[in-house]
C-alpha cells in the first residue's frame, strides 16, 4: 500500500494549525476548514500518527504532532534555503564556471573577457584551463562555435 503524498503545502498547513492553535485560525491561510482537514488527514496517514485531539471545545496537538513538528520546520527551512540558492545560480549571483582554451586565446583574449565577467558577476567562481588545442579538443568541454 502506498503512502499518501507528502507535500510542502501539507507541511505548511500542519505547522499553521499547530502555531495558530487549531483549524479556524489556520483558515487565515485562505483555505477552507474541510480542505485543511483533508490535508491533515493525508499528513497523518503518511506519518501514521494523529495530529490533533479535540476534547469538548479544546483543541490540542498530539504527542505525535509535537514529535514531527521540528522535523517539518527543518524540512521547510531547508527547502527555502535550496530555493534561495537556486535563485542565486539562476541570477548568476553564485555558482562556478570553468572555461577551457588553447594557449593563444587562453593567454591573450580570455583574461580580459573573464575580468569583465567577474566584475559583473563577482559571486561566480571562475576557472580558466589552458592547454594545447589537441588536448582542449579531446576534453570537449565548453566548446563554442562561431558562425
Amino acid at each position: 500500500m502506498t503512502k499518501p503524498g507528502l507535500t510542502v503545502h501539507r507541511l505548511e498547513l500542519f505547522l499553521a494549525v499547530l502555531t495558530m492553535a487549531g483549524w479556524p485560525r489556520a483558515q487565515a491561510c485562505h483555505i477552507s476548514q474541510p480542505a485543511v482537514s483533508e490535508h491533515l488527514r493525508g499528513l497523518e496517514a503518511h506519518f501514521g500518527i494523529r495530529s490533533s485531539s479535540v476534547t469538548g471545545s479544546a483543541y490540542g496537538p498530539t504527542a505525535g504532532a509535537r514529535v514531527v513538528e521540528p522535523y517539518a520546520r527543518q524540512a521547510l527551512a531547508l527547502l527555502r534555503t535550496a530555493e534561495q540558492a537556486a535563485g542565486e545560480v539562476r541570477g548568476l549571483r553564485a555558482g562556478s564556471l570553468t572555461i577551457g582554451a588553447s594557449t593563444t586565446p587562453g593567454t591573450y583574449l580570455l583574461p580580459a573577457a573573464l575580468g569583465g565577467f567577474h566584475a559583473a558577476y563577482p559571486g561566480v567562481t571562475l576557472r580558466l584551463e589552458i592547454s594545447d588545442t589537441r588536448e582542449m579538443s579531446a576534453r570537449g568541454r565548453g566548446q563554442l562555435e562561431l558562425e
Side-chain angles (χ1 to χ4, degrees):
M1 183 167 120
T2 59
K3 289 184 176 186
L6 179 63
T7 66
V8 171
H9 185 62
R10 282 185 174 166
L11 287 176
E12 290 170 337
L13 285 172
F14 168 72
L15 293 176
V17 169
L18 289 179
T19 303
M20 298 175 190
W23 294 290
R25 290 190 182 92
Q27 290 174 343
C29 297
H30 307 291
I31 185 169
S32 69
Q33 185 273 327
V36 171
S37 295
E38 180 61 31
H39 282 292
L40 289 180
R41 279 193 296 273
L43 190 82
E44 290 172 342
H46 180 83
F47 287 112
I49 62 163
R50 295 218 5 106
S51 63
S52 63
S53 61
V54 180
T55 307
S57 63
Y59 162 83
T62 64
R66 290 294 178 204
V67 166
V68 171
E69 179 184 13
Y71 298 104
R73 290 191 190 286
Q74 282 182 318
L76 289 175
L78 284 171
L79 286 170
R80 287 187 197 104
T81 302
E83 288 170 350
Q84 181 182 6
E88 288 176 357
V89 170
R90 278 192 314 270
L92 292 178
R93 293 185 300 272
S96 64
L97 173 64
T98 300
I99 296 176
S102 60
T103 306
T104 301
T107 302
Y108 299 106
L109 300 174
L110 285 174
L114 292 178
F117 182 90
H118 182 67
Y121 305 103
V124 176
T125 302
L126 295 174
R127 184 171 164 206
L128 176 59
E129 295 179 1
I130 299 174
S131 190
D132 62 47
T133 303
R134 183 171 288 142
E135 184 177 336
M136 283 295 118
S137 293
R139 286 186 188 187
R141 292 172 36 187
Q143 294 182 12
L144 175 64
E145 293 179 315
L146 300 176
E147 295 178 359

